[in-house]
Amino acid sequence: MKRFTRTLGLLTACSAAALAFTGPSSAQETFKVGIVTFLSGPAAESFGVPAGKAAEFVIGELNKGAGPAPYNKVGFGGMKIEPVVIDENGGATKQVQELRNLYQRDNVDAVIGYIGSGDCLAVAPIAEELKKPLFLFDCGTPRIFEEAKYNYVFRTAAHATQDNVGLIRYMKQKNIKMDTFSAINQDYAWGQDSRADFVAAAAQLYPNAKLNADLLPKFGAGQYGTEISALVSAGSDVVYSSLWGGDLQAFILQSVPRGLAKRSQLVLSAADHVLPPLGDKMPDGVIIGARGSYGLMSPKTPLNEWFFNGYEKAHGTYPVQASYRVTQSILGVKSAVEKAMAKNGGKKPSADELVAAMTGSEWESPGGLIQMKNGDGHQAIQPISFSRTKYNAEKKRVDLVDIVNFEAECVNPPPGVKAIDWIKGGMKNDKCK
């Protein structure tokens, strides 16, 4: 527990102040879980730290037995949750070693973690090699389960295909003109795969649209003067981007004075997490996604009210996508642990018992129903929402208006079909209303 507090304390004083978990009295009475998120670097402020704060809040509530039904049993099946928090910053090679340390040195029972797509691709084979449960709570690339099969690895959130298919569907439904478009995405797995999905989906619903500027700056570039000049010069109807974290904040701050948002319709596949720090610097009318039905686009359910209101009270701001994604992973692991314990007589489940319980499972989350339908029961699908930005001067925050919700089957490929093949095949069997 002291390690968890000390690690988050490196961020800011406020992020460590509220940590007060009950210490374990024996290994059998605890479930030790690694939590990996960005605690430093450009992805920390708007993504990694909110995820860490959500884990802090949710684990604290569960350890007190203060979660709403069906999550009202203490911890995981009566076992107190003991978190070990690791900073994801530092690159894939570092994360491979950190994951080994979590399993072999810290003896965690499972790991919930990873935001960067490159990190997820690197660590998944290590968990499989060690035969230890790994629950990827984020990362966007579809390649995790399309290029390999895993027994001990799960992703408890949908991949980037839903972000881009849903975005194109929203644009079409709202009659957004797109005779021409330009794109700016980070030059690594997330950006490359997001770009490919958006361009392929555009070819289905906007078959005559022409791609103008097509830019792939490196991850963490920070400065986008050259790229913004190219986008302004292109004068496209739409500028699409999957930038996130500090890169997205920098891009918005640098592009607004250049008038990009007035010249072109900005459409951002994963942008809700930068709304709180940007405030009135975010232009009105930007079309955004949140990688799910999260934050200001989340459903009005008792489970979401518990999470949304509790997080906001604890941290002074509302939760965004990374907060929701780590929470749905924690709740999914809780459900699987308790499902396994119901079958083994109430004992702490083995790795294989936990894997069997999670495979093909489903559970309710603050953002809606999570279903492990793809990747042979190891890859989640979920609902997603899109909207437009509108600054609220009275509340001093960006509100989201014109919200449209899409069911999971509408924006995710069916089981056994690669995402890009499904899109290029016309996105059939999508069950859209």
Side-chain angles (χ1 to χ4, degrees):
M1 299 304 96
K2 290 180 180 177
R3 179 176 177 179
F4 190 23
T5 302
R6 185 169 61 251
T7 303
L8 282 180
L10 295 175
L11 297 171
T12 60
C14 65
S15 65
L19 292 175
F21 296 129
T22 303
S25 56
S26 75
Q28 179 59 32
E29 293 174 350
T30 66
F31 190 100
K32 200 171 185 181
V33 60
I35 303 289
V36 186
T37 186
F38 284 102
L39 305 180
S40 61
E45 178 188 8
S46 57
F47 221 95
V49 173
K53 288 180 176 180
E56 169 193 321
F57 168 73
V58 172
I59 290 173
E61 290 290 289
L62 295 181
N63 276 345
K64 294 186 294 185
Y71 303 113
N72 49 350
K73 180 176 283 189
V74 168
F76 288 172
M79 297 179 289
K80 291 293 181 71
I81 307 163
E82 181 182 350
V84 179
V85 180
I86 297 295
D87 188 357
E88 189 177 344
N89 195 29
T93 301
K94 178 176 180 287
Q95 293 314 310
V96 165
Q97 185 57 52
E98 291 283 15
L99 184 68
R100 289 188 181 276
N101 290 341
L102 282 169
Y103 290 131
Q104 298 175 328
R105 182 190 66 198
D106 297 312
N107 296 313
V108 299
D109 297 296
V111 171
I112 296 172
Y114 303 100
I115 292 169
S117 292
D119 292 338
C120 287
L121 288 167
V123 299
I126 306 306
E128 195 70 12
E129 170 198 328
L130 298 177
K131 295 182 170 55
K132 298 290 187 179
L134 171 61
F135 302 96
L136 304 172
F137 79 81
D138 193 49
C139 61
T141 177
R143 291 158 52 191
I144 303 293
F145 295 104
E146 289 187 350
E147 296 181 354
K149 288 192 174 183
Y150 297 105
N151 184 48
Y152 293 91
V153 181
F154 299 84
R155 178 162 44 190
T156 55
H159 55 59
T161 292
Q162 74 159 12
D163 307 320
N164 297 289
V165 170
L167 186 54
I168 285 287
R169 291 199 183 282
Y170 180 90
M171 292 168 59
K172 194 68 175 178
Q173 183 173 324
K174 296 300 178 181
N175 297 313
I176 302 300
K177 179 186 177 184
M178 193 171 73
D179 294 334
T180 59
F181 69 103
S182 292
I184 176 169
N185 299 282
Q186 293 147 318
D187 191 12
Y188 78 113
W190 159 260
Q192 295 161 358
D193 294 339
S194 295
R195 175 206 170 277
D197 285 350
F198 183 85
V199 171
Q204 296 299 316
L205 298 188
Y206 289 88
N208 298 318
K210 178 184 176 182
L211 177 59
N212 293 334
D214 188 11
L215 311 173
L216 287 167
K218 67 178 182 180
F219 176 74
Q223 296 296 322
Y224 298 99
T226 300
E227 288 83 2
I228 292 167
S229 293
L231 295 171
V232 170
S233 297
S236 303
D237 296 323
V238 166
V239 170
Y240 159 77
S241 183
S242 64
L243 292 176
W244 62 281
D247 283 356
L248 179 56
Q249 289 187 65
F251 175 73
I252 294 295
L253 291 171
Q254 293 166 33
S255 67
V256 167
R258 303 281 298 276
L260 181 61
K262 294 181 178 179
R263 180 179 291 264
S264 302
Q265 171 67 62
L266 296 184
V267 297
L268 308 175
S269 63
D272 85 308
H273 60 291
V274 300
L275 299 182
L278 283 177
D280 61 3
K281 302 299 189 295
M282 172 62 81
D284 286 349
V286 178
I287 295 173
I288 71 164
R291 308 222 58 222
S293 294
Y294 298 149
L296 299 179
M297 296 187 282
S298 56
K300 305 301 181 185
T301 63
L303 180 57
N304 186 48
E305 288 178 4
W306 162 75
F307 173 64
F308 189 102
N309 296 336
Y311 181 101
E312 189 171 41
K313 181 178 179 181
H315 300 297
T317 186
Y318 64 87
V320 290
Q321 62 180 272
S323 305
Y324 275 83
R325 288 198 150 211
V326 74
T327 295
Q328 69 193 38
S329 194
I330 293 169
L331 296 181
V333 174
K334 176 178 172 64
S335 296
V337 167
E338 292 172 0
K339 179 180 177 182
M341 293 177 73
K343 290 186 175 182
N344 72 7
K347 297 180 295 183
K348 184 178 187 176
S350 66
D352 289 332
E353 288 172 334
L354 179 54
V355 163
M358 177 61 84
T359 303
S361 64
E362 62 179 51
W363 64 95
E364 289 292 343
S365 81
L369 181 66
I370 309 302
Q371 299 171 290
M372 304 298 291
K373 281 194 170 184
N374 290 358
D376 297 322
H378 290 245
Q379 168 64 58
I381 64 172
Q382 63 183 87
I384 194 169
S385 303
F386 294 87
S387 60
R388 292 178 184 263
T389 57
K390 178 68 175 177
Y391 187 69
N392 186 323
E394 182 179 345
K395 293 183 178 180
K396 295 183 179 180
R397 76 177 192 190
V398 180
D399 282 342
L400 296 178
V401 300
D402 209 10
I403 298 172
V404 174
N405 305 304
F406 295 98
E407 296 298 326
E409 291 84 354
C410 177
V411 292
N412 286 277
V417 180
K418 285 189 175 182
I420 197 67
D421 294 338
W422 173 67
I423 296 171
K424 290 181 176 180
M427 300 178 285
K428 298 176 182 178
N429 302 317
D430 53 18
K431 299 184 180 179
C432 284
K433 294 181 181 178

